[in-house]
Amino acid sequence: GYLDAASGLQAYGDIADAIAAAMDDASVSGVILDVDSPGGEVGGLFDLVEQIQAIKSASAKPLWAVANESALSAAYAIASTADRLYVTRTGEAGSIGVVAVHIDESGADAKAGLAWTFVFAGEHKVDANAHEPLSARARLTIQADVERLYSEFCALVAANRGLTVENVRGTNAAIYRGELAIWAGLADRLGTLDLAVAEMAAELDRATQSRALIKPTAKRSPSMATNG
């Protein structure tokens, strides 16, 4: 909503639009994602990552990212799409995991003198509602969903970072700070946003100079003439 946006919260669609606009802008030579987030919701995340990958494939421009100061959970999934991922000295990367929360408000309801009665159709319709303790069946259903999403998350990161799924699972959703993120394969270089900008500018400048030094070779047209 409006208040969330005013507070700095960015929707997944906004992120995709911003990256696409930058890649389409003729005055932009490269894009760097300045990431500082503890994560976000699963809903729409995998679609966003696919969008970013499609945008990258359609453009020759580099896409880098900086964990400045945190690229965690869903935010790490986004950052992992980058061609090069920096992490600041005290920055954090990782938390590759999935969590679902159930709040049991039945005790608070009883203290408030509230009694909830559900009239419903469909056996699972009121599973995991907040006004009853979590049933064993509902817990198993949620756990199965979390495990499936976790498998997708690990496969996504593994593909983006050139790691094995086993390596990603082996992080056990841990958070890695600074150089530890590099050792874990979750980042490429230690550095600030300013450093990333400077290094991208330098690389783009070198690439431009290299292209300017390459002169096209004159082509000879084959002749059908013969000497008499």
Side-chain angles (χ1 to χ4, degrees), residues 38 70-77 92-97 153 171 173-176 181 186:
S70 57
L72 302 175
S73 198
Y76 183 76
E92 298 175 328
S95 190
I96 303 166
F153 192 0
T171 67
I175 295 174
Y176 298 85
L186 302 185

Side-chain angles (χ1 to χ4, degrees), residues 9-227:
L9 185 67
Q10 217 168 7
Y12 289 153
D14 295 334
I15 296 172
D17 290 344
I19 294 173
M23 289 294 194
D24 289 339
D25 190 332
S27 67
V28 174
S29 299
V31 177
I32 298 179
L33 305 180
D34 181 6
V35 185
D36 186 13
S37 171
E41 293 185 356
V42 169
L45 174 63
F46 298 146
D47 294 327
L48 170 61
V49 171
E50 286 187 0
Q51 281 183 279
I52 296 174
Q53 290 168 334
I55 293 168
K56 279 179 54 183
S57 297
S59 175
K61 299 176 183 178
L63 176 68
W64 295 1
V66 183
N68 181 37
E69 282 280 307
S70 57
L72 302 175
S73 198
Y76 183 76
I78 296 169
S80 73
T81 63
D83 303 312
R84 183 183 298 175
L85 179 51
Y86 289 76
V87 59
T88 61
R89 190 175 303 278
T90 56
E92 298 175 328
S95 190
I96 303 166
V98 181
V99 60
V101 179
H102 174 266
I103 300 176
D104 180 2
E105 299 178 352
S106 59
D109 290 338
K111 289 182 179 179
L114 299 175
W116 293 75
T117 301
F118 297 97
V119 180
F120 61 96
E123 185 179 357
H124 296 275
K125 185 62 179 177
V126 297
D127 277 3
N129 75 81
H131 303 289
E132 294 178 326
L134 188 65
S135 68
R137 181 181 69 188
R139 176 182 287 276
L140 288 174
T141 299
I142 295 172
Q143 185 64 51
D145 187 48
V146 166
E147 292 291 347
R148 181 180 61 81
L149 292 169
Y150 180 51
S151 293
E152 290 189 38
F153 192 0
C154 290
L156 177 154
V157 171
N160 287 345
R161 293 293 307 168
L163 302 169
T164 66
V165 173
E166 290 73 20
N167 286 149
V168 178
R169 278 184 171 272
T171 67
N172 291 310
I175 295 174
Y176 298 85
R177 188 185 300 278
E179 289 186 351
L180 294 178
I182 299 173
W183 294 342
L186 302 185
D188 301 302
R189 299 192 184 184
L190 198 67
T192 63
L193 177 62
D194 288 343
L195 177 65
V197 171
E199 291 191 348
M200 177 179 279
E203 290 193 16
L204 289 170
D205 187 53
R206 284 195 295 271
T208 300
Q209 291 178 2
S210 296
R211 286 194 295 270
L213 292 173
I214 299 175
K215 296 181 179 180
T217 303
K219 294 183 179 179
R220 291 186 176 182
S221 299
S223 174
M224 298 294 292
T226 57
N227 293 325

